Amino acid sequence: MGDERRALVLGGGGITGIAWMYGLVAGLAAHGVDLSRADLVVGTSAGSVVGANLAAGRDPQALLETQLAPPSGEVAANLGVWQAARIGIAALAGPRQAQLVRARIGRLALAADTVPETERIAVMRSRLGDADWPTGRDLRITAVDAHTGAFRAFGRDDGVPLVTVVAASCAVPGIWPPVTAAGTRWIDGGARSMANADLAAGYGRVVVLAPLTGGFGAATPPGVQAEALAAASEVAFVEPDRRARQAFGRNTLDPARRAPAARAGRAQAADAAAAVARVWV
């Protein structure tokens, strides 16, 4: 099926999603499954942070340990009921064309009262350190144009700093500010799909880690995209188990849930290792 190239798809899921994926990747490595060997890494929102650090060659166990330390420099955020309702209406009302729906969500994001853009980029820099676009593999970070709803998967050749692109991919509408790059402003790549796993089409071996399995309005769920890929590729799809969902709590943007989510991901790796290894190793 397909070729032998490997693609790692990392989906959105907030602070808890980052922690869960770090725990899962570290746990899988301990079981002999090294996801950092991917030829293509696709990162969306939380997955953009994880993907950037893995593509930079960071040790999975060291990344896990950053999640177990007391959170600092991160503030809890939550989408208010009114703002959530407005985004929900924007995602559902009117024409069903996906790009128009994303543009509506983008307009709400542009009008929202949030922290300054520079503050969010500083947070991303603290998460990435000196990580830069890799040269030995293809890293793709997803974002959506806040003005037009157009989708884009940024790569090294686009000439935009990695920290800026990651901040854009993590710009949750209504919570964090759209990020300026390439002549426009960008919001969370999850506005198109929580994983954008279809970008891995053509790769023979695909692993999808999906902290969140739903999406905005008409966005295609990660599981559906994984099923479509399985028609031509070997695919392993991993979503949080019951213990991980409990660890996430009700707010995936709460730094206090980071360590429990990381431990849950590390524990889940024992159950997921065999299925992932069949695809990856």
Side-chain angles (χ1 to χ4, degrees):
M1 299 178 74
D3 58 27
E4 290 302 307
R5 293 179 302 162
R6 294 174 173 85
L8 175 62
V9 177
L10 303 161
I15 288 174
T16 57
I18 292 172
W20 175 75
M21 285 187 282
Y22 280 153
L24 190 62
V25 171
L28 289 170
H31 284 84
V33 185
D34 182 8
L35 293 182
S36 68
R37 295 167 53 200
D39 300 292
L40 169 70
V41 178
V42 177
T44 293
S45 199
S48 71
V49 177
V50 178
N53 277 313
L54 290 177
R58 302 271 165 77
D59 175 57
Q61 181 61 36
L63 293 171
L64 169 59
E65 290 170 1
T66 65
Q67 304 302 292
L68 301 177
S72 60
E74 298 272 7
V75 296
N78 205 346
L79 194 63
V81 174
W82 173 238
Q83 189 72 357
R86 293 181 68 195
I87 290 176
I89 292 169
L92 296 173
R96 296 296 294 170
Q97 291 93 334
Q99 185 169 333
L100 292 178
V101 169
R102 296 195 296 267
R104 291 195 194 98
I105 295 172
R107 286 194 292 272
L108 290 175
L110 289 165
D113 183 16
T114 67
V115 300
E117 186 178 333
T118 53
E119 184 174 319
R120 281 301 289 169
I121 290 178
V123 170
M124 293 303 120
R125 188 169 287 112
S126 73
R127 292 178 180 174
L128 300 183
D130 60 357
D132 202 351
W133 291 104
T135 55
R137 72 194 65 204
D138 190 6
L139 172 64
R140 295 287 164 172
I141 304 298
T142 68
V144 167
D145 188 319
H147 295 283
T148 68
F151 173 75
R152 184 164 178 176
F154 284 90
R156 180 184 180 88
D157 293 342
D158 289 309
V160 181
L162 180 60
V163 67
T164 302
V165 175
V166 171
S169 190
C170 292
V172 181
I175 293 182
W176 305 124
V179 172
T180 305
T184 187
R185 299 186 74 191
W186 302 87
I187 60 172
D188 199 316
R192 183 204 183 234
S193 164
M194 278 297 171
N196 294 294
D198 56 320
L199 295 180
Y203 285 76
R205 301 172 181 270
V206 183
V207 171
V208 180
L209 307 185
L212 295 179
T213 56
F216 292 101
T220 305
V224 174
Q225 291 182 328
E227 288 179 8
L229 288 173
S233 306
E234 297 288 345
V235 179
F237 179 77
V238 185
E239 60 184 295
D241 60 14
R242 180 182 57 82
R243 177 168 41 186
R245 292 193 299 271
Q246 290 176 341
F248 287 7
R250 295 184 177 182
N251 182 10
T252 62
L253 299 176
D254 183 358
R257 309 305 302 172
R258 193 175 74 177
R263 294 189 185 97
R266 179 65 175 80
Q268 186 177 346
D271 295 327
V276 176
R278 280 194 295 270
V279 168
W280 201 256
V281 177

mmCIF file of all heavy atoms in Angstrom, residues 1-8 38-42 137-138 140 197-207 229 232-235:
data_model
loop_
_atom_site.group_PDB
_atom_site.id
_atom_site.type_symbol
_atom_site.label_atom_id
_atom_site.label_comp_id
_atom_site.label_asym_id
_atom_site.label_seq_id
_atom_site.Cartn_x
_atom_site.Cartn_y
_atom_site.Cartn_z
ATOM 1 N N MET A 1 0.854 -1.202 0.000
ATOM 2 C CA MET A 1 0.000 0.000 0.000
ATOM 3 C C MET A 1 0.883 1.242 0.000
ATOM 4 O O MET A 1 1.676 1.444 0.910
ATOM 5 C CB MET A 1 -0.899 -0.003 1.228
ATOM 6 C CG MET A 1 -1.859 -1.197 1.298
ATOM 7 S SD MET A 1 -2.867 -1.201 2.790
ATOM 8 C CE MET A 1 -4.012 0.109 2.400
ATOM 9 N N GLY A 2 0.783 2.105 -1.050
ATOM 10 C CA GLY A 2 1.562 3.323 -1.071
ATOM 11 C C GLY A 2 3.046 3.024 -1.131
ATOM 12 O O GLY A 2 3.484 1.982 -1.612
ATOM 13 N N ASP A 3 3.873 3.954 -0.662
ATOM 14 C CA ASP A 3 5.304 3.727 -0.580
ATOM 15 C C ASP A 3 5.689 3.491 0.875
ATOM 16 O O ASP A 3 4.831 3.304 1.737
ATOM 17 C CB ASP A 3 6.072 4.902 -1.198
ATOM 18 C CG ASP A 3 5.735 6.228 -0.532
ATOM 19 O OD1 ASP A 3 5.354 6.231 0.654
ATOM 20 O OD2 ASP A 3 5.848 7.269 -1.194
ATOM 21 N N GLU A 4 6.979 3.503 1.144
ATOM 22 C CA GLU A 4 7.441 3.209 2.507
ATOM 23 C C GLU A 4 7.729 4.469 3.315
ATOM 24 O O GLU A 4 8.233 4.375 4.435
ATOM 25 C CB GLU A 4 8.698 2.324 2.451
ATOM 26 C CG GLU A 4 8.406 0.910 1.972
ATOM 27 C CD GLU A 4 7.389 0.201 2.853
ATOM 28 O OE1 GLU A 4 7.594 0.153 4.080
ATOM 29 O OE2 GLU A 4 6.381 -0.287 2.308
ATOM 30 N N ARG A 5 7.438 5.629 2.778
ATOM 31 C CA ARG A 5 7.666 6.856 3.545
ATOM 32 C C ARG A 5 6.676 6.931 4.702
ATOM 33 O O ARG A 5 5.538 6.489 4.605
ATOM 34 C CB ARG A 5 7.523 8.084 2.646
ATOM 35 C CG ARG A 5 8.589 8.207 1.573
ATOM 36 C CD ARG A 5 8.328 9.437 0.722
ATOM 37 N NE ARG A 5 7.006 9.381 0.104
ATOM 38 C CZ ARG A 5 6.370 10.440 -0.400
ATOM 39 N NH1 ARG A 5 6.938 11.636 -0.341
ATOM 40 N NH2 ARG A 5 5.179 10.303 -0.949
ATOM 41 N N ARG A 6 7.149 7.534 5.794
ATOM 42 C CA ARG A 6 6.340 7.627 7.010
ATOM 43 C C ARG A 6 5.866 9.058 7.235
ATOM 44 O O ARG A 6 6.633 10.004 7.068
ATOM 45 C CB ARG A 6 7.151 7.171 8.222
ATOM 46 C CG ARG A 6 7.531 5.701 8.206
ATOM 47 C CD ARG A 6 8.454 5.392 9.378
ATOM 48 N NE ARG A 6 8.717 3.972 9.504
ATOM 49 C CZ ARG A 6 9.661 3.324 8.841
ATOM 50 N NH1 ARG A 6 10.430 3.994 7.996
ATOM 51 N NH2 ARG A 6 9.839 2.031 9.009
ATOM 52 N N ALA A 7 4.607 9.199 7.642
ATOM 53 C CA ALA A 7 4.036 10.505 7.978
ATOM 54 C C ALA A 7 3.467 10.455 9.389
ATOM 55 O O ALA A 7 2.756 9.508 9.739
ATOM 56 C CB ALA A 7 2.947 10.903 6.986
ATOM 57 N N LEU A 8 3.794 11.452 10.171
ATOM 58 C CA LEU A 8 3.260 11.599 11.528
ATOM 59 C C LEU A 8 2.346 12.812 11.545
ATOM 60 O O LEU A 8 2.772 13.924 11.239
ATOM 61 C CB LEU A 8 4.396 11.781 12.534
ATOM 62 C CG LEU A 8 3.993 12.077 13.981
ATOM 63 C CD1 LEU A 8 3.187 10.927 14.573
ATOM 64 C CD2 LEU A 8 5.228 12.365 14.836
ATOM 65 N N ALA A 38 9.854 10.212 11.286
ATOM 66 C CA ALA A 38 8.919 10.528 10.204
ATOM 67 C C ALA A 38 9.586 11.310 9.078
ATOM 68 O O ALA A 38 10.422 12.182 9.306
ATOM 69 C CB ALA A 38 7.748 11.332 10.762
ATOM 70 N N ASP A 39 9.186 10.984 7.850
ATOM 71 C CA ASP A 39 9.621 11.764 6.688
ATOM 72 C C ASP A 39 8.809 13.051 6.568
ATOM 73 O O ASP A 39 9.321 14.077 6.127
ATOM 74 C CB ASP A 39 9.440 10.935 5.411
ATOM 75 C CG ASP A 39 10.243 9.651 5.442
ATOM 76 O OD1 ASP A 39 11.480 9.747 5.403
ATOM 77 O OD2 ASP A 39 9.632 8.575 5.530
ATOM 78 N N LEU A 40 7.531 12.980 6.962
ATOM 79 C CA LEU A 40 6.637 14.137 6.965
ATOM 80 C C LEU A 40 6.026 14.265 8.351
ATOM 81 O O LEU A 40 5.567 13.276 8.929
ATOM 82 C CB LEU A 40 5.516 13.957 5.940
ATOM 83 C CG LEU A 40 4.354 14.956 6.016
ATOM 84 C CD1 LEU A 40 4.802 16.346 5.578
ATOM 85 C CD2 LEU A 40 3.165 14.479 5.169
ATOM 86 N N VAL A 41 6.037 15.480 8.882
ATOM 87 C CA VAL A 41 5.337 15.776 10.134
ATOM 88 C C VAL A 41 4.317 16.862 9.838
ATOM 89 O O VAL A 41 4.668 17.934 9.327
ATOM 90 C CB VAL A 41 6.304 16.243 11.236
ATOM 91 C CG1 VAL A 41 5.533 16.585 12.513
ATOM 92 C CG2 VAL A 41 7.360 15.174 11.524
ATOM 93 N N VAL A 42 3.045 16.578 10.144
ATOM 94 C CA VAL A 42 1.971 17.550 9.971
ATOM 95 C C VAL A 42 1.499 17.967 11.358
ATOM 96 O O VAL A 42 1.068 17.130 12.153
ATOM 97 C CB VAL A 42 0.789 16.957 9.176
ATOM 98 C CG1 VAL A 42 -0.352 17.971 9.083
ATOM 99 C CG2 VAL A 42 1.246 16.520 7.786
ATOM 100 N N ARG A 137 13.779 16.703 6.970
ATOM 101 C CA ARG A 137 12.432 16.151 6.807
ATOM 102 C C ARG A 137 11.470 17.280 6.474
ATOM 103 O O ARG A 137 11.816 18.449 6.588
ATOM 104 C CB ARG A 137 11.996 15.438 8.084
ATOM 105 C CG ARG A 137 11.672 16.376 9.235
ATOM 106 C CD ARG A 137 11.586 15.620 10.530
ATOM 107 N NE ARG A 137 12.875 15.073 10.881
ATOM 108 C CZ ARG A 137 13.056 14.013 11.670
ATOM 109 N NH1 ARG A 137 12.014 13.372 12.144
ATOM 110 N NH2 ARG A 137 14.256 13.604 11.967
ATOM 111 N N ASP A 138 10.268 16.910 6.092
ATOM 112 C CA ASP A 138 9.260 17.891 5.706
ATOM 113 C C ASP A 138 8.332 18.148 6.891
ATOM 114 O O ASP A 138 7.613 17.249 7.326
ATOM 115 C CB ASP A 138 8.468 17.361 4.510
ATOM 116 C CG ASP A 138 7.569 18.412 3.877
ATOM 117 O OD1 ASP A 138 7.641 19.586 4.296
ATOM 118 O OD2 ASP A 138 6.796 18.058 2.970
ATOM 119 N N ARG A 140 5.174 20.405 8.144
ATOM 120 C CA ARG A 140 4.085 21.238 7.660
ATOM 121 C C ARG A 140 3.221 21.673 8.840
ATOM 122 O O ARG A 140 2.736 20.845 9.615
ATOM 123 C CB ARG A 140 3.222 20.462 6.659
ATOM 124 C CG ARG A 140 3.972 20.106 5.391
ATOM 125 C CD ARG A 140 4.198 21.314 4.505
ATOM 126 N NE ARG A 140 5.222 21.075 3.492
ATOM 127 C CZ ARG A 140 5.500 21.907 2.515
ATOM 128 N NH1 ARG A 140 4.824 23.051 2.417
ATOM 129 N NH2 ARG A 140 6.449 21.644 1.646
ATOM 130 N N ALA A 197 -5.282 15.479 8.520
ATOM 131 C CA ALA A 197 -4.553 14.254 8.194
ATOM 132 C C ALA A 197 -4.498 13.979 6.706
ATOM 133 O O ALA A 197 -3.647 13.207 6.245
ATOM 134 C CB ALA A 197 -5.198 13.066 8.918
ATOM 135 N N ASP A 198 -5.381 14.610 5.938
ATOM 136 C CA ASP A 198 -5.358 14.375 4.492
ATOM 137 C C ASP A 198 -4.063 14.861 3.849
ATOM 138 O O ASP A 198 -3.730 14.448 2.733
ATOM 139 C CB ASP A 198 -6.564 15.036 3.824
ATOM 140 C CG ASP A 198 -6.671 16.524 4.117
ATOM 141 O OD1 ASP A 198 -6.414 16.941 5.264
ATOM 142 O OD2 ASP A 198 -7.022 17.291 3.198
ATOM 143 N N LEU A 199 -3.299 15.697 4.556
ATOM 144 C CA LEU A 199 -2.012 16.151 4.025
ATOM 145 C C LEU A 199 -1.004 15.012 3.948
ATOM 146 O O LEU A 199 0.039 15.149 3.299
ATOM 147 C CB LEU A 199 -1.445 17.282 4.886
ATOM 148 C CG LEU A 199 -2.242 18.588 4.901
ATOM 149 C CD1 LEU A 199 -1.565 19.613 5.791
ATOM 150 C CD2 LEU A 199 -2.419 19.147 3.493
ATOM 151 N N ALA A 200 -1.288 13.898 4.611
ATOM 152 C CA ALA A 200 -0.392 12.741 4.573
ATOM 153 C C ALA A 200 -0.703 11.798 3.423
ATOM 154 O O ALA A 200 -0.092 10.725 3.322
ATOM 155 C CB ALA A 200 -0.464 11.984 5.901
ATOM 156 N N ALA A 201 -1.636 12.161 2.556
ATOM 157 C CA ALA A 201 -1.980 11.309 1.411
ATOM 158 C C ALA A 201 -0.733 11.044 0.573
ATOM 159 O O ALA A 201 0.066 11.950 0.314
ATOM 160 C CB ALA A 201 -3.056 11.971 0.559
ATOM 161 N N GLY A 202 -0.554 9.799 0.162
ATOM 162 C CA GLY A 202 0.599 9.419 -0.641
ATOM 163 C C GLY A 202 1.722 8.800 0.153
ATOM 164 O O GLY A 202 2.637 8.201 -0.421
ATOM 165 N N TYR A 203 1.676 8.933 1.479
ATOM 166 C CA TYR A 203 2.675 8.302 2.339
ATOM 167 C C TYR A 203 2.190 6.910 2.716
ATOM 168 O O TYR A 203 1.023 6.717 3.071
ATOM 169 C CB TYR A 203 2.934 9.156 3.577
ATOM 170 C CG TYR A 203 3.769 10.375 3.267
ATOM 171 C CD1 TYR A 203 3.207 11.480 2.617
ATOM 172 C CD2 TYR A 203 5.122 10.416 3.572
ATOM 173 C CE1 TYR A 203 3.975 12.581 2.285
ATOM 174 C CE2 TYR A 203 5.905 11.523 3.257
ATOM 175 C CZ TYR A 203 5.320 12.599 2.610
ATOM 176 O OH TYR A 203 6.088 13.686 2.280
ATOM 177 N N GLY A 204 3.079 5.930 2.649
ATOM 178 C CA GLY A 204 2.668 4.553 2.835
ATOM 179 C C GLY A 204 2.349 4.176 4.257
ATOM 180 O O GLY A 204 1.536 3.283 4.503
ATOM 181 N N ARG A 205 2.967 4.855 5.224
ATOM 182 C CA ARG A 205 2.786 4.546 6.644
ATOM 183 C C ARG A 205 2.431 5.832 7.377
ATOM 184 O O ARG A 205 3.223 6.788 7.366
ATOM 185 C CB ARG A 205 4.053 3.923 7.231
ATOM 186 C CG ARG A 205 4.484 2.635 6.527
ATOM 187 C CD ARG A 205 5.841 2.154 7.011
ATOM 188 N NE ARG A 205 6.254 0.947 6.319
ATOM 189 C CZ ARG A 205 5.979 -0.284 6.743
ATOM 190 N NH1 ARG A 205 5.300 -0.451 7.874
ATOM 191 N NH2 ARG A 205 6.386 -1.335 6.061
ATOM 192 N N VAL A 206 1.287 5.858 8.009
ATOM 193 C CA VAL A 206 0.792 7.090 8.633
ATOM 194 C C VAL A 206 0.334 6.800 10.054
ATOM 195 O O VAL A 206 -0.437 5.855 10.283
ATOM 196 C CB VAL A 206 -0.382 7.696 7.839
ATOM 197 C CG1 VAL A 206 -0.831 9.010 8.474
ATOM 198 C CG2 VAL A 206 0.000 7.909 6.370
ATOM 199 N N VAL A 207 0.807 7.612 10.988
ATOM 200 C CA VAL A 207 0.320 7.559 12.372
ATOM 201 C C VAL A 207 -0.332 8.895 12.676
ATOM 202 O O VAL A 207 0.276 9.955 12.467
ATOM 203 C CB VAL A 207 1.456 7.281 13.371
ATOM 204 C CG1 VAL A 207 0.965 7.442 14.811
ATOM 205 C CG2 VAL A 207 1.997 5.873 13.164
ATOM 206 N N LEU A 229 -7.525 7.811 4.451
ATOM 207 C CA LEU A 229 -6.123 7.495 4.161
ATOM 208 C C LEU A 229 -5.893 5.994 4.101
ATOM 209 O O LEU A 229 -5.065 5.503 3.327
ATOM 210 C CB LEU A 229 -5.209 8.101 5.228
ATOM 211 C CG LEU A 229 -5.017 9.612 5.217
ATOM 212 C CD1 LEU A 229 -4.229 10.038 6.458
ATOM 213 C CD2 LEU A 229 -4.291 10.063 3.954
ATOM 214 N N ALA A 232 -5.392 3.660 0.978
ATOM 215 C CA ALA A 232 -4.164 3.545 0.189
ATOM 216 C C ALA A 232 -2.904 3.487 1.039
ATOM 217 O O ALA A 232 -1.800 3.391 0.504
ATOM 218 C CB ALA A 232 -4.062 4.727 -0.776
ATOM 219 N N SER A 233 -3.032 3.543 2.349
ATOM 220 C CA SER A 233 -1.871 3.566 3.236
ATOM 221 C C SER A 233 -2.131 2.701 4.459
ATOM 222 O O SER A 233 -3.278 2.419 4.804
ATOM 223 C CB SER A 233 -1.570 5.004 3.696
ATOM 224 O OG SER A 233 -1.422 5.888 2.600
ATOM 225 N N GLU A 234 -1.052 2.306 5.131
ATOM 226 C CA GLU A 234 -1.170 1.679 6.444
ATOM 227 C C GLU A 234 -1.336 2.812 7.459
ATOM 228 O O GLU A 234 -0.501 3.716 7.515
ATOM 229 C CB GLU A 234 0.075 0.854 6.766
ATOM 230 C CG GLU A 234 0.313 -0.312 5.817
ATOM 231 C CD GLU A 234 -0.682 -1.432 6.034
ATOM 232 O OE1 GLU A 234 -1.355 -1.438 7.091
ATOM 233 O OE2 GLU A 234 -0.787 -2.299 5.150
ATOM 234 N N VAL A 235 -2.387 2.777 8.262
ATOM 235 C CA VAL A 235 -2.700 3.895 9.151
ATOM 236 C C VAL A 235 -2.960 3.399 10.570
ATOM 237 O O VAL A 235 -3.695 2.426 10.772
ATOM 238 C CB VAL A 235 -3.944 4.675 8.654
ATOM 239 C CG1 VAL A 235 -4.268 5.830 9.607
ATOM 240 C CG2 VAL A 235 -3.706 5.202 7.239
#
